[in-house]
């Protein structure tokens, strides 16, 4: 078990390192496949021995080897967050025989394809979280890839789940679309509306409702905190995508527990 945990953390750190570069380059339309990573201060290309997840950050004291300017904490934070999320998914899925989780249905249905599928879906979700938080956009490409993969994977789930989840996804997106139309785009962007299709398909009914409730609750709490701290004003727009993504992650892991709190 310890070996598996170490392996999952290592894979998470590797993908976390890639995520720092991808989430920076993709919204700026910089090629993320070719070319080494570079310092965003002096533009010096980073050598392979300085491109190791977290280790280089610690060994270099959080500074660029070339220009000695501070490296943004976004890089180690993203790497740690991705590795932690991978590990938590592995641990929750591993306890399906003891504790029921929305992940368990996917695990029972997909077999050996379960971990590649789920980890990639949440990798896409993480990129959406980061990009919307930093650039206030939700890339259609990432959303549509995640939706297409989830729709295809639903074929392996027995029963009428596909049609029920398709209906749930439509209702979820339509709910946010109403907010978008009512507020004329000030309260909700179309990117949020498109993203809502993913949790609707992945979670189904009634967990999609729990997801919406969790997203609005966390969004409201953070907004109130920012206003009280003087970091935002009542009329300021706050990106809602990160709350949708975070709630999606939490409800996927612990949605059945949240549902019991709401409906004892």
């Amino acid at each position: 078990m310890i070996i598996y945990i170490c392996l999952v953390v290592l894979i998470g750190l590797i993908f976390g390192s890639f995520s720092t570069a991808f989430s920076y380059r993709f919204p700026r339309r910089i090629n993320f496949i070719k070319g080494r990573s570079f310092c965003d201060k002096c533009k010096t290309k980073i050598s392979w021995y300085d491109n190791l997840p977290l280790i280089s950050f610690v060994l270099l004291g959080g500074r660029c080897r070339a220009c000695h300017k501070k490296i943004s904490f976004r890089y180690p934070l993203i790497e740690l967050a991705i590795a932690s999320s991978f590990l938590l998914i592995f641990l929750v899925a591993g306890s399906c025989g003891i504790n029921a989780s929305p992940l368990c249905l996917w695990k029972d249905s997909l077999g050996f394809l379960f971990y590649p599928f789920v980890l990639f879906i949440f990798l896409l979700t993480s990129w959406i979280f980061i990009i919307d938080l930093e650039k206030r956009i939700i890339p259609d490409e990432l959303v549509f890839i995640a939706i297409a993969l989830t729709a295809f994977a639903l074929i392996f789930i027995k029963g009428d789940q596909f049609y029920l989840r398709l209906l749930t996804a439509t209702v979820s997106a339509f709910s946010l679309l109403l907010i978008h139309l009512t507020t004329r785009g000030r309260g909700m962007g179309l990117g949020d509306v498109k993203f809502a299709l993913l949790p609707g398909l992945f979670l189904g009914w009634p967990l999609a409702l729990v997801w919406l409730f969790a997203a609005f609750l966390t969004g409201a709490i953070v907004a109130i905190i920012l206003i009280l701290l003087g970091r935002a004003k009542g009329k300021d727009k706050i990106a809602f995508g990160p709350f949708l993504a975070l709630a999606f992650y939490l409800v996927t892991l612990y949605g059945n527990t949240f549902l019991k709190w709401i409906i004892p």
Side-chain angles (χ1 to χ4, degrees), residues 27-227:
R28 294 170 175 83
R29 300 304 174 185
I30 302 173
N31 193 320
F32 60 88
I33 298 177
K34 296 181 180 179
R36 296 202 310 266
S37 300
F38 54 87
C39 172
D40 54 3
K41 301 289 196 316
C42 65
K43 308 304 179 183
T44 301
K45 291 184 178 180
I46 299 175
S47 303
W48 66 268
Y49 49 80
D50 283 337
N51 206 23
L52 302 174
L54 288 180
I55 299 176
S56 298
F57 184 87
V58 175
L59 293 178
L60 294 174
R63 294 181 180 274
C64 171
R65 185 184 294 273
C67 65
H68 304 293
K69 292 183 178 179
K70 289 185 178 180
I71 300 173
S72 172
F73 270 99
R74 83 180 287 277
Y75 299 103
L77 286 178
I78 290 174
E79 291 166 6
L80 276 174
I82 298 294
S84 300
S85 64
F86 274 32
L87 178 59
L88 197 53
I89 289 171
F90 174 74
L91 294 176
V92 171
S95 63
C96 280
I98 304 174
N99 301 309
S101 166
L103 283 177
C104 297
L105 177 61
W106 288 105
K107 185 179 181 182
D108 295 338
S109 303
L110 296 180
F112 72 94
L113 293 175
F114 167 73
Y115 283 111
F117 166 70
V118 169
L119 293 179
F120 186 58
I121 289 295
F122 278 94
L123 198 59
L124 290 168
T125 305
S126 300
W127 296 341
I128 291 170
F129 177 101
I130 299 166
I131 293 172
D132 194 32
L133 183 66
E134 295 181 342
K135 306 297 290 185
R136 298 186 68 175
I137 57 171
I138 297 180
D140 288 343
E141 300 93 327
L142 302 182
V143 174
F144 293 151
I145 290 173
I147 291 173
L149 285 175
T150 304
F152 179 77
L154 280 175
I155 298 173
F156 296 95
I157 294 184
K158 298 179 180 179
D160 59 351
Q161 285 288 323
F162 181 84
Y163 299 103
L164 178 60
R165 293 189 179 216
L166 185 62
L167 177 61
T168 303
T170 304
V171 172
S172 300
F174 185 71
S175 301
L176 298 191
L177 179 61
L178 285 178
I179 298 176
H180 171 78
L181 295 175
T182 303
T183 62
R184 297 181 180 180
R186 293 190 296 270
M188 193 73 59
L190 284 177
D192 302 320
V193 176
K194 298 169 190 175
F195 179 79
L197 292 168
L198 175 61
L201 280 175
F202 194 95
L203 297 170
W205 178 264
L207 290 174
L209 182 62
V210 178
W211 161 70
L212 282 173
F213 175 78
F216 280 105
L217 179 62
T218 53
I221 292 173
V222 171
I224 292 172
I225 292 174
L226 290 176
I227 291 173

Side-chain angles (χ1 to χ4, degrees), residues 15-28 30-32 37 74-75 78:
F15 278 102
S17 179
F18 174 77
S19 297
T20 61
F22 179 88
S23 59
Y24 178 87
R25 297 186 185 189
F26 187 79
R28 294 170 175 83
I30 302 173
N31 193 320
F32 60 88
S37 300
R74 83 180 287 277
Y75 299 103
I78 290 174

